[in-house]
Amino acid sequence: MTGAQPLPALHALAGRFPTGFVWGTATAAYQIEGAWNEDGKGESIWDVFCRIPGVIEDGRSGAETCDHYHLLDDDLDLLADLGASAYRFSVAWSRVLPEGRGRINEPGFAFYERLVDGLLQRGIRPFVTLYHWDLPQALQERGGWLADDIPAWFADYASLVVARLGDRVRDWVTLNEPQVTAFAGYQSGVHPPGVKDTASALIVAHHLLLAHRAGAAAIRAASSEARVGIALNLSPAHPASASAEDGEAARMADGAGNRWFLDPLFGRGYPQDVVERYGEVAPPPLEGYDGALDFLGINYYTRNIVRAAPGTKLGFEPLPPEGALTEMGWEIYPDGLREILLRVHRDYAPRELFITESGAAFPDGPDGDDPARVEYLESHFSAAADAIDDGVRLRGYFVWSLLDNFEWHLGFTKRFGLVYVDYETKQRTIKSSGRFYRQLATAGR
Ligand code: GCO
């Protein structure tokens, strides 16, 4: 199998997306940049965390990874070659503010200016994420996301970046997946700072929401043209059976994972049913809070199936995924993308929606032959087109990821790229999925 799609089918799929649809790919700074301590960059919490023995599956770190910092021009050419009309990347906070606040690192800004200018020269629209998990270590030492001051620190950082790039960048994503920052960092502890305490995770989630709002105001103050969004990881929660107990379990899983962020961002405060179950560890209310979103970004990978678990705090537990799985062990479930888009559209009516990430890991080799990813993309783009047919205001789709890269605590054991990266030589090879993406995006534009 080569993964080549018959052209008429591909054109039919591309034709289901409206003119002006945004064809993007996505990355994050720590996962691709490398150059962890070059040109004045400060340490981030990931630089520090990766040194702890045993926390990263292959014992490695993002210190070098794809070396995008030095191979920027090649990667810009790759993006153009893939036919992308947009690119979502993140700014490493500690590259521009080594201590998180105060002293500016000019070479850090120069890098992002070169990146943005290079995109614009190639007709590619930048979508900039301000926070994709790599907090400056200096701020961690002042309490990190648990500190009451962090919304203000984030807003100061945001206004600085927008002051530099806001004449060329319109689309800003404040935070990537606040649910993961809070719960992987402070409940399961698989991300830095490796804390395992639900009460702390809920305070961090609260501070992230406050930081989003403060950041959004700072972005708008620095640029009247700016459009502000956030990227949430959302997954439908399905009950394991038709029983009332499993139905309630699914409602709680949806509440804790999805509504916990959606409800406040759309001005409804925290979901009361989940607040009640959290009991004494619940955060203070968010009265009068609104995310003021120009667009909502959804990162979609899979669905969750849950059943009742009466002994647990929230009363549910996940079932092991079944059926066809990606190398992450996640069920391949394109219908869930349509379902979550439709549900968010109906329940929250965001002005605009973007799929800010969707993609899959498979055990790819250097030949770049990845028929499973081609199929994954085809089925998920179809699901996105179905949602558009249903009336969802979906404006764009960013494939995760442009390049194979550092998959956080899983190190380099998982490959998500449209482009294969040889981590020794740093050589890039466009995979079959990259060629499929190019054909689709080109036909769609
Ligand atoms: C996320 C992150 C990405 C991951 C990707 C694959 O959504 O978890 O934004 O950084 O690499 O999702 O797990």
Side-chain angles (χ1 to χ4, degrees):
M1 246 179 96
T2 62
Q5 303 294 301
L7 273 178
L10 192 132
H11 277 270
L13 177 56
R16 299 183 63 197
F17 294 89
T19 316
F21 191 75
V22 169
W23 300 88
T25 70
T27 61
Y30 188 70
Q31 296 182 276
I32 66 163
E33 283 181 4
W36 72 280
N37 63 352
E38 285 183 49
D39 297 339
K41 179 182 167 292
E43 277 186 338
S44 83
I45 56 175
W46 276 94
D47 292 317
V48 174
F49 188 68
C50 290
R51 288 182 204 133
I52 303 171
V55 300
I56 308 297
E57 187 159 310
D58 57 5
R60 296 170 70 188
S61 76
E64 269 190 36
T65 179
C66 307
D67 201 23
H68 170 72
Y69 186 77
H70 294 114
L71 297 174
L72 175 62
D73 292 331
D74 301 79
D75 291 341
L76 288 165
D77 287 343
L78 264 180
L79 272 168
D81 191 5
L82 289 173
S85 63
Y87 177 52
R88 173 177 174 236
F89 66 93
S90 78
V91 173
W93 188 337
S94 68
R95 202 179 279 293
V96 296
L97 288 171
E99 287 93 36
R101 337 179 290 158
R103 188 174 62 86
I104 292 170
N105 182 42
E106 287 300 337
F109 270 119
F111 172 73
Y112 295 111
E113 299 204 87
R114 253 189 342 112
L115 170 41
V116 166
D117 291 343
L119 289 171
L120 295 176
Q121 278 155 17
R122 291 165 178 81
I124 300 168
R125 173 170 160 194
F127 279 65
V128 181
T129 306
L130 288 165
Y131 186 71
H132 202 126
W133 307 354
D134 48 355
L135 191 73
Q137 176 64 16
L139 295 183
Q140 187 61 42
E141 282 157 21
R142 293 172 174 263
W145 286 106
L146 284 170
D148 291 332
D149 286 338
I150 198 157
W153 298 338
F154 179 70
D156 288 349
Y157 156 63
S159 67
L160 209 65
V161 177
V162 178
R164 289 300 175 105
L165 301 176
D167 57 337
R168 286 156 283 176
V169 175
R170 283 192 68 200
D171 301 286
W172 299 93
V173 174
T174 53
L175 305 173
N176 180 68
E177 302 188 356
Q179 191 268 344
V180 173
T181 301
F183 291 89
Y186 289 84
Q187 187 181 55
S188 69
V190 299
H191 284 188
V195 174
K196 294 183 183 166
D197 174 49
T198 300
S200 298
L202 290 167
I203 295 169
V204 166
H206 192 72
H207 288 167
L208 284 157
L209 285 163
L210 297 178
H212 163 77
R213 182 171 63 179
I219 293 167
R220 293 199 174 95
S223 160
S224 57
E225 297 279 283
R227 290 158 30 90
V228 180
I230 189 169
L232 300 182
N233 51 308
L234 302 178
S235 299
H238 289 163
S241 79
S243 75
E245 292 76 12
D246 286 348
E248 173 59 17
R251 197 167 66 84
M252 260 315 133
D254 177 65
N258 301 325
R259 286 184 285 125
W260 195 256
F261 294 91
L262 285 167
D263 279 12
L265 287 167
F266 289 90
R268 300 178 194 174
Y270 289 119
Q272 207 43 45
D273 54 343
V274 189
V275 168
E276 277 162 26
R277 297 227 41 151
Y278 275 132
E280 73 283 1
V281 297
L286 274 172
E287 275 150 25
Y289 180 94
D290 188 298
L293 295 172
D294 295 306
F295 63 90
L296 176 69
I298 295 181
N299 295 356
Y300 175 78
Y301 290 91
T302 191
R303 68 165 165 173
N304 296 312
I305 300 180
V306 299
R307 68 173 164 225
T312 62
K313 182 110 204 141
L314 296 176
F316 71 85
E317 66 187 8
L319 289 193
E322 282 180 16
L325 307 181
T326 71
E327 213 197 357
M328 296 291 281
W330 297 341
E331 183 189 1
I332 300 175
Y333 190 71
D335 285 350
L337 177 57
R338 177 186 187 171
E339 179 183 328
I340 203 77
L341 286 167
L342 206 56
R343 181 272 179 100
V344 167
H345 173 75
R346 284 194 183 135
D347 288 1
Y348 300 95
R351 272 183 236 163
E352 292 189 2
L353 274 163
F354 287 87
I355 297 164
T356 33
E357 287 178 28
S358 180
F362 292 106
D364 308 318
D367 63 359
D369 188 25
D370 60 344
R373 185 173 293 98
V374 174
E375 213 175 290
Y376 188 98
L377 290 177
E378 205 268 330
S379 61
H380 286 74
F381 271 103
S382 297
D386 290 342
I388 294 173
D389 291 344
D390 294 335
V392 174
R393 291 184 287 270
L394 179 67
R395 301 293 189 247
Y397 189 132
F398 294 80
V399 172
W400 186 270
S401 180
L402 169 64
L403 301 170
D404 291 340
N405 60 48
F406 179 76
E407 180 57 19
W408 308 109
H409 67 289
L410 301 172
F412 293 100
T413 64
K414 303 288 179 275
R415 293 180 177 273
F416 276 87
L418 296 174
V419 175
Y420 184 90
V421 177
D422 177 327
Y423 295 114
E424 299 309 313
T425 63
K426 313 297 178 198
Q427 195 191 315
R428 279 88 162 122
T429 308
I430 296 181
K431 302 181 192 177
S432 325
S433 59
R435 289 196 292 274
F436 168 77
Y437 175 88
R438 169 166 54 205
Q439 287 185 308
L440 187 65
T442 309
R445 286 175 76 173

